[in-house]
Amino acid sequence: MRVLVTGGAGFIGSHVVEALTASGHEPVVFDVRADPAADVRDPEAVARALAGVDAVCHQAAMVGLGTGFGDAAEYVSRNDLGTAVLLAAMAGAGVRHLVLAGSMVVYGEGRYACPRDGVVRPGPRAVADLEAGRFEPRCPVCGAELAPGLVGEDAPADPRNVYATTKLAQEHLAAAWARSTGGSAVSLRYHNVYGPRMPRDTPYAGVASFFRSALARGEAPRVFEDGRQRRDFVHVRDVAAANVAALRAGSAPGALTAYNTGSGEPHTVGEMARALADAHGGPAPVVTAEYRLGDVRHITADSSRLRAELGWKPEVGFAEGMREFAACR
């Protein structure tokens, strides 16, 4: 199968290209880093790239929380306009298979259970609580402490920042494209992806990259809040393998199917910082109580649907992956 990989020269996209090649597919890289003319927002460039293509793995995106709401127009342009241009070109070219790089950020906060009120959805955290070091959401009904759990794909979407909003819009656009064309669309809702080639020293990089860069400078990783926020750290090679599995399986024509794509093993941000520091040989992390208003407290995935329906499972364990990542140059 000839597969166009948008963002194919990037962190995740380059691993997707390798996984496709290893599986006998023919990847075609479309990325402004490889060719300044390869902008997914350019209809003519996209139309040329789709010639002879059977499917698309859409990895191109502006990622991360960013530096404030001033980034909103750029996020919407790169993520939503770019996706709309790509899908329109796919409709015109008769390409009917799409794998979208989705994200767990569409859920907002994760799943919480109250001992009295059952499963509840806390609202955005208040600045006053964060300033006071009260990081855990409380039950919106009775104010009790909540127990975090795993989020399934049927959970309501509740994006809490600009990036999350654009990722949800990408899914809606893909679903509309599938309905209009009879195409097959899969959204892989990535959790916290890390591994070789991860961007560093940029405001849009992930927290694992920030920690690794600090360690490389001989500085202690600075862990926000109290370090107990839970995430699902999934290795980039496992994410690439999920793309190949999704491409092979497809989805029902005329619909978008979403799959959580995580390791299934929640860890705290503090645990991750300690694992990287230990693998690097120090210095030890410092917990700062700083916060970013757009962050959520806990978000971890139930990835059982991906395992059951596509036969995918993660191969890189947390300890192994962190040791490898700490050694990356």
Side-chain angles (χ1 to χ4, degrees), residues 247-270:
L247 189 65
R248 180 174 60 245
S251 67
L256 177 139
T257 304
Y259 294 101
N260 288 332
T261 308
S263 71
E265 297 180 3
H267 291 274
T268 68
V269 172

Side-chain angles (χ1 to χ4, degrees), residues 17-322:
V17 167
E18 290 178 356
L20 288 169
T21 301
S23 298
H25 298 291
E26 181 188 352
V28 177
V29 173
F30 187 83
D31 194 310
V32 291
R33 282 161 289 207
D35 178 359
D39 190 329
V40 76
R41 295 168 292 183
D42 182 339
E44 293 182 0
V46 173
R48 288 193 299 270
L50 286 170
V53 161
D54 304 299
V56 175
C57 283
H58 184 30
Q59 308 295 315
M62 185 175 179
V63 301
L65 188 57
T67 58
F69 202 83
D71 293 323
E74 190 70 9
Y75 271 114
V76 171
S77 176
R78 291 180 181 269
N79 296 354
D80 299 338
L81 174 59
T83 298
V85 169
L86 172 66
L87 293 171
M90 289 174 65
V95 180
R96 296 292 182 262
H97 298 285
L98 172 72
V99 178
L100 173 68
S103 176
M104 54 82 182
V105 295
V106 301
Y107 298 118
E109 284 287 352
R111 185 180 190 275
Y112 293 88
C114 172
R116 194 193 81 170
D117 298 299
V119 176
V120 295
R121 294 188 60 77
R125 296 183 293 173
V127 171
D129 287 335
L130 295 170
E131 288 285 351
R134 296 188 293 268
F135 302 120
E136 293 287 347
R138 311 288 290 195
C139 176
V141 180
C142 70
E145 293 185 5
L146 299 173
L150 300 180
V151 180
E153 289 90 349
D154 58 350
D158 186 16
R160 299 287 175 93
N161 57 59
V162 172
Y163 169 61
T165 302
T166 66
K167 296 307 289 183
L168 182 58
Q170 284 184 306
E171 287 196 355
H172 288 318
L173 287 166
W177 166 84
R179 286 193 297 271
S180 174
T181 65
S184 166
V186 171
S187 177
L188 297 175
R189 290 175 175 170
Y190 301 160
H191 278 246
N192 289 71
V193 186
Y194 73 97
R197 303 174 214 149
M198 190 175 189
R200 58 199 306 171
D201 303 323
T202 164
Y204 303 94
V207 65
S209 181
F210 292 146
F211 292 164
R212 185 186 63 175
S213 293
L215 289 164
R217 296 191 300 267
E219 301 172 3
R222 295 176 61 81
V223 181
F224 281 15
E225 302 188 18
D226 58 5
R228 296 176 184 156
Q229 53 271 51
R230 288 159 51 99
R231 298 291 188 269
D232 186 320
F233 300 101
V234 59
H235 197 277
V236 66
R237 288 196 296 273
D238 288 329
V239 166
N243 274 267
V244 176
L247 189 65
R248 180 174 60 245
S251 67
L256 177 139
T257 304
Y259 294 101
N260 288 332
T261 308
S263 71
E265 297 180 3
H267 291 274
T268 68
V269 172
E271 284 181 276
M272 188 262 287
R274 287 191 297 273
L276 284 176
D278 289 346
H280 192 272
V286 174
V287 177
T288 68
E290 296 173 85
Y291 65 88
R292 298 191 304 177
L293 190 59
D295 277 339
V296 298
R297 179 61 174 175
H298 303 295
I299 176 67
T300 53
D302 177 356
S303 298
S304 58
R305 177 186 291 179
L306 182 58
R307 290 165 170 77
E309 295 186 8
L310 302 191
W312 171 90
K313 65 176 182 178
E315 301 291 343
V316 183
F318 178 77
E320 173 193 354
M322 289 298 163

